[in-house]
Amino acid sequence: MTDKIPRRITPQRQLILEALRKADYHPTALELFEIARRRLPRLSLATVYRNLELLVANGTVRRLELGGTQARFDWDPAPHYHVRCVDCGRVDDLHGLLIELPARGSETADGYELLSHRLEFAGVCPKCRGHREQSRPRGCSI
Amino acid sequence: MTDKIPRRITPQRQLILEALRKADYHPTALELFEIARRRLPRLSLATVYRNLELLVANGTVRRLELGGTQARFDWDPAPHYHVRCVDCGRVDDLHGLLIELPARGSETADGYELLSHRLEFAGVCPKCRGHREQSRPRGCSI
DNA sequence: ATTTCTGCAAACACTTTGCAACTGC
DNA sequence: GCAGTTGCAAAGTGTTTGCAGAAAT
């Protein structure tokens, strides 16, 4: 891999991207691997990581580094925020919410030049709201 | 450790907390380990992690899971946001910025019950603004 | 032929855990 | 003596990398 731009459309690449686009949530690399492997059993997890990195590099998909430990991926280039369920870890889009924030290029009191921001919500997803009586899981440090 | 509440003030604990409080940025566990080890050379990194977890559990310090891979720590309980330098990874407080966001308990279109949010800014710190001509480092996927 | 890509295994970075020894009531 | 804590080493998790071989042009 000389630079970071995908040159070919391999079955693996196609399959991974398709799995991401079909998911109605934001899957992790491992989740995509397991979906794609159903159709390409010899697929390797390293290939999934490599392809996701390439697709991120060329702007096709977006890597989300939200709470929790694993990266999640997003095929939708439109600006939007995300909600993460504190119970099950599921990540969904948050539609119809736009917030007034400092513009790109503005400067802070400390002399930082602001470039972008990341806003993520934590909440309880519809499914987990049903059976919510359990002990609190770790990782809610938001 | 029966539950998660520190019972004793050990030299290690004191040293770690002091190092955190003295830092003018938000250090990682490893950074705190290296600072504290200067005064307690037999200190173990596991002890730093364990103590930070305890201090987080009892509310003394806050764990920040921002961009990048490592957790960073914050001794300041007052609500405030953070800026991370995309060049060097340094994390600072962002003072004097309060933003109108959906209230805790409000419900989204998708049926999530919102609990909290995390807002982080990416920018270029004063030091890095000086020598800013290099290739872009990885991990700016915000 | 040359470049891109793959699978596999090993390496990696960060964090947590098991355990025997030690400390302070 | 006992619960809390430590250092050390090992294990765990998520991700990246080295490499030889395969695939596409």
Side-chain angles (χ1 to χ4, degrees):
Chain A
M1 186 179 317
T2 317
D3 50 73
K4 298 262 189 169
I5 300 162
R7 302 306 171 95
R8 294 183 195 148
I9 302 177
T10 64
Q12 289 87 341
R13 189 120 69 218
Q14 208 160 6
L15 199 50
I16 292 163
L17 185 53
E18 197 180 298
L20 176 56
R21 288 196 165 135
K22 275 191 186 150
D24 67 334
Y25 63 106
H26 295 298
T28 63
L30 185 62
E31 286 165 346
L32 289 171
F33 168 63
E34 274 164 0
I35 294 166
R37 184 162 59 162
R38 295 205 287 260
R39 286 215 255 141
L40 208 68
R42 299 192 29 99
L43 179 68
S44 142
L45 181 55
T47 298
V48 175
Y49 275 107
R50 270 187 294 232
N51 276 298
L52 286 172
E53 194 196 335
L54 288 173
L55 292 168
V56 167
N58 87 348
T60 309
V61 317
R62 205 151 66 100
R63 162 189 263 121
L64 310 176
E65 282 166 8
L66 309 179
T69 48
Q70 314 164 66
R72 292 176 173 271
F73 296 87
D74 187 349
W75 53 267
D76 184 358
H80 58 278
Y81 298 119
H82 297 99
V83 220
R84 186 168 62 94
C85 177
V86 297
D87 273 2
C88 69
R90 179 185 170 106
V91 174
D92 276 294
D93 287 344
L94 191 53
H95 306 98
L97 181 69
L98 276 181
I99 287 159
E100 190 77 21
L101 286 166
R104 181 186 177 89
S106 56
E107 190 174 330
T108 74
D110 292 337
Y112 271 81
E113 177 191 344
L114 293 183
L115 295 176
S116 59
H117 68 273
R118 177 201 332 238
L119 175 57
E120 169 206 351
F121 291 85
V124 192
C125 78
K127 210 201 257 178
C128 290
R129 289 174 76 180
H131 40 83
R132 184 146 172 74
E133 71 282 16
Q134 305 290 51
S135 69
R136 206 155 316 285
R138 50 157 289 103
C140 312
S141 54
I142 299 199
Chain B
M1 184 180 319
T2 317
D3 50 72
K4 297 264 191 168
I5 300 164
R7 301 305 171 95
R8 293 183 197 149
I9 302 177
T10 64
Q12 289 86 343
R13 189 121 68 218
Q14 208 162 4
L15 200 50
I16 292 163
L17 186 53
E18 195 180 298
L20 176 57
R21 289 197 165 133
K22 275 192 185 146
D24 67 333
Y25 63 105
H26 296 298
T28 63
L30 185 62
E31 286 164 347
L32 289 172
F33 168 63
E34 274 164 0
I35 294 166
R37 185 163 57 162
R38 296 206 286 260
R39 284 216 257 142
L40 208 68
R42 297 192 30 100
L43 179 67
S44 141
L45 181 54
T47 298
V48 175
Y49 275 107
R50 271 187 294 232
N51 276 298
L52 286 171
E53 196 197 335
L54 289 174
L55 293 168
V56 166
N58 87 350
T60 308
V61 317
R62 206 151 66 99
R63 162 189 262 122
L64 309 176
E65 283 167 6
L66 308 179
T69 49
Q70 314 164 65
R72 291 175 174 272
F73 297 87
D74 188 348
W75 53 267
D76 184 358
H80 58 277
Y81 299 118
H82 298 99
V83 222
R84 185 167 63 94
C85 177
V86 298
D87 272 1
C88 67
R90 180 185 169 105
V91 175
D92 276 294
D93 288 343
L94 192 52
H95 306 100
L97 181 69
L98 276 181
I99 286 159
E100 190 77 20
L101 286 166
R104 181 186 176 87
S106 56
E107 190 174 330
T108 73
D110 292 337
Y112 271 81
E113 178 192 343
L114 294 183
L115 295 176
S116 60
H117 69 273
R118 175 200 334 237
L119 175 57
E120 170 204 351
F121 291 85
V124 192
C125 79
K127 208 200 260 180
C128 290
R129 288 174 76 180
H131 40 84
R132 182 146 173 75
E133 71 282 15
Q134 305 289 51
S135 68
R136 205 153 315 284
R138 50 157 288 102
C140 312
S141 54
I142 301 197

